[in-house]
Amino acid sequence: MNRFYAVAASLGAMALAACGGNEPASQAPAGPQSGGQQSDADGIPAADLVFFGGPIHTANDARPAVEAVAVQDGRIVFAGPRPGLDMWVGQDTRIVDLQGAAMYPGFTDSHIHVLGVGQRERLLNLDDVTSVEALVDRVETAVSEAEPGAIVFGRGWIETHWPEGRFPGREDLDPVSPDNPVVLVRADGHALVANSAALEAAGIDRDSTAPEGGEILFGDDGEPTGMLIDTAMGPAQALVAQPEGAERADIYAQGTRRLASLGWSGAHDMSVPYADVAMIEDLAAQDRLSVRIYVSVDPDGYAELARETPRIAEDGRVITRAVKLYMDGALGSRGAALLEPYSDRPDTSGLTIAEADETISIMTQALRDGVQMNVHAIGDRGNRALLDWVEEALAQVPPEDRALPEHRWRDEHSQIVHPDDIPRFAELGVIASMQPSHAIGDLHFAPDRLGDDRLEGAYAWQSLLDAGAHITGGSDAPVEQGDPRIEYYAATARSDLEGFQGENWHPEEALSREDALKLFTLWPAYASFREDELGSIETGKRADFTIFSADIMAIPEAEILEVDPLMTVVEGEVVWEEAGRFGG
C-alpha cells in the first residue's frame, strides 16, 4: 500500500475515535501546539499546513462541516474534530488559526477567459461607463494619450442601463477620434462599436455583407452605424494586434494572480488557442500560474488535442481535454438564437453560428476520441439545436464505440431554455454550465428582449437541478467581473447588487446556499472529470481551499458581497493571502 494512503487509512480510524467522544470536550487543548515532532505511536509525519478556528464547510453531504484540516504534500490528510489535529503538528507545520473566518473547498470558476482577465488589467477598461457621453469622454482621453494613428482598443461597455437607451455608434466616436481607429468591444464579447477610421481600415462600408452568423447594423442613410455583431466583428478585431510571446505569457500569469486574489483556486479556461496550452503549462512549471487551469481549446486545435486527450501537465495543475464550440450569439446584442422573434425587435430571431452537419460530425468523432464538447448556447433555439445534435451524435455512436462511459459534454450558458427541453439535459447527460451573474445583469433587459412568457426557463438553475441535470457555475469574466462573491450571491439571491429582482423573474429558481457552494466547488470538479480529487474537503483529496472573512453560508444575503478574500490555497500551496492576516 502507498505510504500516503496507509497514513490516510490510519487517520480515518483515529478521527472516528475522536468523534466517539473518548476525550471530553473540556479536556481538548486550546489549539494545536508546535515546537517538536509528533510523539504518536504510529510516527505520522508532520503536516505542512493545519487549519482550525472558524467554520469549515466541506461540500461533502456525508460530513458537511469539520473543525480542523491538515495538509501534507498537497493532499488533505485530516478533516475532522479539532482534538484530532494535534498529532499532525510538528516543528515546521504552518498553523493557520482562522480567527472566525470561514473556509471552503477551493472555489472554481467553470467558465472564464483567463487571458481576457489579464488583458482587462491593461486595456482601456469600460466596465464602469454609464452613458454614451461617458464612453465618448473616456475615448477622448485615450486618444489624447495615444500616438497619432494608433488604434484605441477597449472592452467592457454595456448600454442596457444607459440613459440614451441605445447602442453607441461611429457618429458618437468620430468627433473625438477622426484619425485614430477606435474598436470598443461590448462586455459580452459578441458585439463591438467602431469609428469611421476603423471601419475604413477594416474595409466595411455601405456595400458590405455580414458573414453567416453575424450582422452589420446600418443607419437610415444606408451607412454602417459602427455596430458589428458576432462573426461580423472579425475585420475590425483583426486591426488589433494580439499579444505574443513573453507578453502573452505575462498576461496569462497576471490573470491568474487576479483570480487567486479574489478567492478562486481553479479556472476552466474557455476558447484557448491550442498553441497557448504549452505556454500555460510552462507558466505552471515556472510556478507563475496562481490557480489550477482546466483548458477548453478552440475547434482549430481539435485534431492535436484528440491525439493526446487528456493532456495533463507534469504537476497536474493544467489539464486540457475539451473543445469549445458556438451555437449562437448573445442576448444583449440580439445575437442569441430564439425560437420566436425578439419582443423588442420582431424582425430578427437572432443568429445561428454552427452548422448541423459539421457540428454533428465533430461530436461523433469526439465520442470516439474522448474529447469533451463544451458548446456555447444562449437562446432557446440555440439550446434546442444543441440538445438535438447531441442526441443525434449519441444515436450514431453506440456506447461500446465511445472512449468514455460518460461524455460529460457541457452546454455553456444554458441561459434561455424552453421548458420542454429542461428534462433533456439529464436524459442526454449534458451539463448545464451557467453563470449566475448573467441573470442579475440581464434581468434589466431580458424581459424586453423576450417578453414575460419566455422568462419561464430563463436562467432556470433550480428547475434543471430538480430535473436531474448536472450543473456547474462560473462567471464568464471578463464579460462579468469574475468575482466569486458576486457569483455566489447571484446564485442564492437572484437579485441585482442593490437587491432588485423585478417582476416575473422567477425567484424560485434561486439555489440554496448548500447547492450554491457545490456550484463552485464539487460540481466544477465533476464537470472536469475530477470529482474524486477536487471539489470537497475530504481525506485524500487535493488541498484546494478558499477562505473568506465571514461565513457566506450563514450571513444575510447583502453581506455576502462585503466579505473579504483572505487566503487561497492550491494543492497545499498558499498562492494568495491578505498580508499579515494569518502571520506566516
Side-chain angles (χ1 to χ4, degrees):
M1 180 181 289
N2 179 286
R3 182 171 180 272
F4 165 78
Y5 288 103
V7 170
S10 65
L11 80 87
M14 296 168 190
L16 288 172
C19 289
N22 293 335
E23 180 179 6
S26 61
Q27 296 178 14
Q33 305 296 314
S34 62
Q37 294 300 315
Q38 293 91 329
S39 58
D40 61 282
D42 293 314
I44 296 173
D48 303 311
L49 272 170
V50 297
F51 300 87
F52 71 100
I56 301 176
H57 297 279
T58 67
N60 173 17
D61 288 341
R63 199 175 195 184
V66 295
E67 296 177 333
V69 171
V71 176
Q72 184 185 98
D73 295 331
R75 297 270 188 170
I76 299 167
V77 292
F78 175 77
R82 182 162 158 176
L85 188 64
D86 282 357
M87 62 189 295
W88 295 98
V89 179
Q91 185 172 349
D92 298 323
T93 301
R94 180 175 178 187
I95 298 170
V96 179
D97 182 345
L98 296 171
Q99 304 169 47
M103 180 168 147
Y104 311 88
F107 273 49
T108 293
D109 189 323
S110 57
H111 185 115
I112 195 167
H113 306 276
V114 176
L115 186 70
V117 172
Q119 285 180 307
R120 184 172 59 185
E121 304 298 306
R122 301 178 176 214
L123 299 177
L124 178 60
N125 189 340
L126 304 172
D127 286 354
D128 59 350
V129 167
T130 57
S131 65
V132 172
E133 181 181 2
L135 181 74
V136 171
D137 289 345
R138 191 72 64 84
V139 170
E140 183 175 23
T141 300
V143 170
S144 70
E145 298 171 351
E147 295 292 329
I151 294 174
V152 174
F153 178 60
R155 177 170 180 159
W157 63 270
I158 186 165
E159 82 294 340
T160 52
H161 290 83
W162 291 357
E164 295 89 352
R166 62 174 175 84
F167 287 136
R170 63 179 177 82
E171 292 181 352
D172 299 306
L173 303 174
D174 287 351
V176 298
S177 187
D179 302 315
N180 290 70
V182 176
V183 177
L184 308 175
V185 179
R186 194 175 185 269
D188 59 13
H190 287 267
L192 64 78
V193 61
N195 69 345
S196 294
L199 291 173
E200 182 179 358
I204 297 173
D205 58 26
R206 64 183 300 128
D207 297 322
S208 296
T209 301
E212 187 71 24
E215 184 178 13
I216 301 171
L217 300 189
F218 294 94
D220 293 338
D221 60 358
E223 296 292 335
T225 66
M227 281 297 302
L228 308 175
I229 313 296
D230 284 310
T231 59
M233 299 164 58
Q237 287 181 311
L239 301 175
V240 182
Q242 292 298 308
E244 297 179 349
E247 180 189 9
R248 192 174 183 88
D250 288 345
I251 293 173
Y252 270 113
Q254 185 172 7
T256 66
R257 289 195 299 271
R258 171 66 176 166
L259 298 181
S261 74
L262 291 168
W264 298 112
S265 69
H268 295 185
D269 198 1
M270 293 289 156
S271 303
V272 177
Y274 195 82
D276 285 0
V277 174
M279 177 185 293
I280 296 169
E281 293 170 345
D282 287 343
L283 287 170
Q286 299 164 25
D287 201 25
R288 297 182 60 203
L289 203 67
S290 299
V291 301
R292 192 183 299 282
I293 300 288
Y294 182 74
V295 181
S296 182
V297 300
D298 284 338
D300 289 347
Y302 180 92
E304 291 175 279
L305 176 60
R307 286 194 291 269
E308 53 187 357
T309 295
R311 175 170 172 163
I312 303 175
E314 186 174 347
D315 65 357
R317 296 281 186 96
V318 182
I319 295 179
T320 307
R321 72 180 305 159
V323 169
K324 171 79 178 298
L325 304 179
Y326 287 85
M327 296 296 297
D328 60 357
L331 187 68
S333 52
R334 300 185 185 86
L338 302 182
L339 293 168
E340 300 294 337
Y342 279 82
S343 295
D344 59 355
R345 193 181 152 193
D347 64 312
T348 183
S349 298
L351 303 170
T352 300
I353 296 173
E355 296 288 341
D357 290 346
E358 178 183 9
T359 305
I360 294 171
S361 177
I362 293 172
M363 287 178 169
T364 57
Q365 190 60 46
L367 287 170
R368 295 184 174 96
D369 293 335
V371 173
Q372 186 183 39
M373 293 278 97
N374 297 340
V375 188
H376 165 116
I378 288 183
D380 50 11
R381 178 160 56 98
N383 279 290
R384 176 168 291 178
L386 171 58
L387 294 169
D388 288 346
W389 298 354
V390 170
E391 186 171 21
E392 176 62 26
L394 292 173
Q396 290 187 24
V397 183
E400 61 269 20
D401 292 339
R402 301 173 196 169
L404 298 172
E406 296 181 10
H407 52 278
R408 300 193 189 184
W409 290 357
R410 295 164 45 161
D411 181 333
E412 301 295 334
H413 306 307
S414 313
Q415 283 183 217
I416 316 301
V417 180
H418 191 284
D420 290 348
D421 291 323
I422 287 177
R424 300 179 68 198
F425 282 78
E427 293 166 4
L428 297 172
V430 174
I431 299 167
S433 172
M434 299 177 289
Q435 300 74 48
S437 57
H438 286 346
I440 68 170
D442 292 7
L443 67 84
H444 293 281
F445 67 83
D448 292 334
R449 299 282 191 273
L450 301 170
D452 285 347
D453 290 345
R454 280 187 287 189
L455 295 181
E456 183 182 356
Y459 317 91
W461 314 319
Q462 189 61 52
S463 291
L464 282 159
L465 200 58
D466 289 343
H470 287 280
I471 66 176
T472 189
S475 73
D476 203 10
V479 173
E480 303 287 354
Q481 288 300 309
D483 190 322
R485 297 165 295 184
I486 293 176
E487 297 301 331
Y488 184 88
Y489 165 85
T492 55
R494 203 174 168 85
S495 303
D496 72 12
L497 301 185
E498 284 71 48
F500 171 78
Q501 188 174 79
E503 296 182 7
N504 300 317
W505 202 241
H506 294 276
E508 71 277 6
E509 295 292 356
L511 296 177
S512 69
R513 298 204 191 191
E514 292 76 15
D515 284 341
L517 178 62
K518 294 175 184 175
L519 189 70
F520 300 106
T521 56
L522 189 60
W523 295 342
Y526 176 86
S528 58
F529 298 86
R530 302 200 78 188
E531 72 274 17
D532 291 337
E533 292 193 291
L534 297 171
S536 60
I537 297 178
E538 300 180 63
T539 300
K541 285 197 171 184
R542 296 181 186 272
D544 290 9
F545 309 125
T546 296
I547 297 174
F548 291 130
S549 58
D551 189 0
I552 60 175
M553 300 283 281
I555 59 178
E557 282 179 351
E559 294 180 17
I560 294 170
L561 298 168
E562 300 172 1
V563 302
D564 296 319
L566 300 182
M567 180 181 282
T568 307
V569 179
V570 177
E571 200 135 340
E573 176 189 354
V574 177
V575 294
W576 184 88
E577 65 180 305
E578 183 181 276
R581 181 63 180 242
F582 298 119

